[in-house]
Amino acid sequence: MSKTRIYEVAKELGMNSKELMEFLEKELNISVKSHMSTIEEETVQAIKDLIEEERQAKKEVKKQKEPPKEKKKTPEKIKVKEKLEEEPVEEKPVREVTITTQEITLDILAKRLELEQNDIIKDMFMKGIVLRPGQKLDKTMAEDISMSYNVILNFEIEKEEAEEKEEDVEVILAKKWNDIYEKEKDKLAPRPPVVTIMGHVDHGKTTLLDKIRNTHVADKEEGGITQSIGAYQIEYNDQKITFIDTPGHEAFTEMRARGAQVTDIVVLIIAADDGVMPQTIEAYNHAKSANVPIIVAINKIDKPNANIELTKQQMVSKLNLIPEDWGGNTITIPISAKTGKGIDELLEMIILVAEMQEIRCIPEGKARAVIIESRVDKAMGPLGTVIVKDGILKVGDDFISGSTYGRVRRMINDRGESLKRAVPSTPVQVLGFNDVPNTHSIMYVVDSKEEARALAEKIKEKEEEKSKGPAKRHMRLEDIMQK
Ligand code: GDP
Ligand code: MG
């Protein structure tokens, strides 16, 4: 073994980890992140030598009755070393305490440290850290608190996390679906692409979404009232395309974390009079890390100061995207969301990319859907807009969605029509949730109401465990102020 953990070295030297870390920083200019960090054997030896030297020197000094101040050291250095000298192993032992990762709340930590929770709160307050009783702590925080009481905190991580995952209903369900995809490859069927338009603020996302919708949906039905449900579906050349209306960057990360990605294609919109801007880059990065194909729409080409060439140059220099007509492979379409120019070409390209991507689903059976929007309606209660990913969602289906559950009482599409069945890639507003579902959570249809309730409760328990009680999770500013 050529490496040793800081706390082990500290123990050997009769210091606590914090002192050792300070010592390393000051004397050897080594900065160490945590007491779990490792250092080289060589360094350990150097530290030992240095400390021994210091101890010897100090003895000499004492013999000669010279005040330590006269040593050519900075006051801080002396302080650290005096401490080392004055507090040898026996007097200040480092304790080790084990805690499981699920357990890290302030009350439990206090018990482990054999301290009063309130004393910790007071002590930390003096250091400028505000803590609440029973507060959930992250590992670093728990470690820091423990360290200030000279206790090394050991986390029982692997076993606990493994168990946690095994029990996690949502993880099990996500895996089950992945398995179906693996096993029934031959039964997979194409479904319409789900498209998200992303880009810098004011570059024209809303205008483009409205334009596409107005040109391809509203006039189809006589007196049809379009409903804003967070997504809509159009038909272009007999091909369906679903557009998501309210995308957030977090949607990419969150949905992926839950085992489903709602977006199949990203249209990255860049205003030709403004070029590549910070949020353009951000949006691009999200799409890229989600591995979603990107079509660039250069917007506002009707404007006199539009500069398509410059915008393309910036695509290359800032995003490393080379437009097709420049010999690259990024489909780039100049459009005007205002006049409608180029939009048909954009839709054609979306369909083309969708075909190349082979966007597939499990076409039948129980549905799985993604919640893209949710709210409470005064008259209708909790509402969630979902996009069906697999299977067929039907009225009467029992489902869970995170810790919420319910039975589909009604489904309303983006044209305000009631549906009995919703096939993959259809956006529908669902009535029948017991509570407002979390946006970006996955809805799974299950066998019965009992099963739904049981699963949802299991998930809820887990969530509450994680956040230590529902009351705290929903604590508002007023609640805190009253304390
Ligand atoms: P968003 O923030 O990306 O949703 O941008 P908006 O759609 O709200 O558009 C911002 C502004 O740009 C609005 O005043 C739009 O009218 C205008 N705009 C959007 N697209 C175009 C376009 O193609 N041409 C022109 N001239 N103006 C546009
Ligand atoms: Mg907008």
Side-chain angles (χ1 to χ4, degrees), residues 200-207 299-300 302-303 336-338:
H200 195 73
V201 65
D202 283 345
H203 278 199
K205 294 181 291 291
T206 307
T207 312
N299 191 32
K300 305 199 187 184
D302 61 290
K303 287 184 106 173
S336 166
K338 196 178 177 184

Side-chain angles (χ1 to χ4, degrees), residues 346-376:
L346 177 64
L347 297 175
E348 273 156 29
M349 284 303 154
I350 289 172
I351 289 162
L352 191 77
V353 171
E355 276 166 10
M356 293 191 305
Q357 288 293 310
E358 297 198 338
I359 297 163
R360 295 277 185 271
C361 67
I362 300 162
E364 278 158 31
K366 282 199 211 105
R368 150 168 97 150
V370 178
I371 312 266
I372 57 157
E373 209 179 59
S374 64
R375 65 186 176 91
V376 183

Side-chain angles (χ1 to χ4, degrees), residues 186-198:
D186 49 325
K187 288 186 190 154
L188 299 181
R191 61 167 173 80
V194 178
V195 179
T196 298
I197 298 173
M198 298 175 93

